Amino acid sequence: AQSVTQLDSHVSVSEGTPVLLRCNYSSSYSPSLFWYVQHPNKGLQLLLKYTSAATLVKGINGFEAEFKKSETSFHLTKPSAHMSDAAEYFCVVSDYARGYQKVTFGTGTKLQVIP
Amino acid sequence: DTAVSQTPKYLVTQMGNDKSIKCEQNLGHDTMYWYKQDSKKFLKIMFSYNNKELIINETVPNRFSPKSPDKAHLNLHINSLELGDSAVYFCASSQDGATYEQYFGPGTRLTVT
């Protein structure tokens, strides 16, 4: 079975402090994992992805995520939040089984950055 | 050039009407998708097309019908619109395979009155 759980629906941080957005997944196969960002009234944009290479993945705008198979987690982090990081973030799991691709989106985490 | 484009950006219509949303991608991708995002930002995959064949249909009402005239286009037609269809609809495309990311269009905000 495939699923993804974003543990926080809202996260609020002060500008300049670290960001942690949590994601746990379930997959019966070797999954690929993604983080997307959606700014207000915009489409989704890829931040980073894990595809069975290095477990620590670096993305755009200073974000990174670490794939931990033992914990079935793929948490997104950034050392220092910027006002422009305020957005909705989606964790996504994707695998390929029985001839077709299955993709599941998490329910999203809204990141608020306080000046 | 816009990679994935959708038209229209906004669509306001009355219950019972039929409407279409168009999507085009210029990335040469094999797979295209339609998603529905509700007011709580939940994203639900509705359809995906690979090489002009439907490969996933996520139990959406049959009032919704995807139409793919060629690999670069996947249009969404909706019959007998209902209030609950109000949402933002996103088109996306990707290369075929689980390791490839999706590229999203800007969305179409559908309001049914």
Side-chain angles (χ1 to χ4, degrees):
Chain A
Q2 184 188 84
S3 68
V4 60
T5 302
Q6 292 185 241
L7 296 158
D8 306 293
S9 59
H10 288 82
V11 170
S12 183
V13 301
S14 297
E15 188 176 18
T17 64
V19 175
L20 170 64
L21 304 183
R22 299 182 295 166
C23 173
N24 286 104
Y25 71 92
S26 172
S27 173
S28 301
Y29 306 93
S30 296
S32 295
L33 293 156
F34 307 81
W35 276 99
Y36 289 84
V37 60
Q38 183 181 26
H39 288 96
N41 300 313
K42 299 289 186 185
L44 280 75
Q45 179 186 15
L46 180 72
L47 273 179
L48 49 80
K49 68 176 181 180
Y50 165 78
T51 58
S52 75
T55 56
L56 182 61
V57 181
K58 295 188 183 299
I60 61 172
N61 300 333
F63 284 95
E64 63 182 38
E66 186 171 8
F67 174 74
K68 292 186 176 181
K69 187 175 181 179
S70 61
E71 299 176 11
T72 60
S73 68
F74 190 58
H75 301 334
L76 181 70
T77 60
K78 182 173 180 177
S80 176
H82 191 273
M83 293 299 295
S84 61
D85 295 329
E88 192 87 22
Y89 291 79
F90 294 93
C91 182
V92 180
V93 60
S94 173
D95 57 35
Y96 205 90
R98 291 188 292 278
Y100 71 93
Q101 180 183 0
K102 183 172 172 62
V103 178
T104 300
F105 277 70
T107 50
T109 298
K110 184 173 184 176
L111 176 64
Q112 180 184 18
V113 182
I114 302 167
Chain B
D1 280 344
T2 303
V4 181
S5 59
Q6 296 178 229
T7 53
K9 188 170 176 63
Y10 299 96
L11 185 53
V12 181
T13 188
Q14 292 183 329
M15 286 175 56
N17 286 347
D18 302 338
K19 290 294 179 185
S20 291
I21 306 172
K22 294 185 177 181
C23 178
E24 177 181 2
Q25 55 98 1
N26 62 6
L27 298 167
H29 288 163
D30 292 317
T31 306
M32 296 183 71
Y33 310 81
W34 275 106
Y35 289 87
K36 178 181 180 181
Q37 186 174 47
D38 64 21
S39 58
K40 294 184 178 180
K41 302 294 186 183
F42 295 158
L43 272 164
K44 173 185 174 182
I45 187 167
M46 302 177 71
F47 303 102
S48 68
Y49 255 71
N50 180 290
N51 291 327
K52 297 175 65 175
E53 292 187 44
L54 179 68
I55 56 174
I56 298 175
N57 182 332
E58 292 291 328
T59 62
V60 301
N62 58 14
R63 298 183 294 104
F64 291 80
S65 55
K67 296 277 192 284
S68 181
D70 55 57
K71 197 172 85 166
H73 297 84
L74 182 65
N75 303 324
L76 182 65
H77 190 74
I78 316 169
N79 290 326
S80 304
L81 278 154
E82 299 178 358
L83 292 176
D85 298 332
S86 295
V88 181
Y89 292 83
F90 287 99
C91 177
S93 72
S94 74
Q95 295 181 32
D96 187 28
T99 62
Y100 296 105
E101 65 270 27
Q102 296 181 28
Y103 291 78
F104 284 80
T108 296
R109 183 175 295 276
L110 172 64
T111 303
V112 182
T113 62

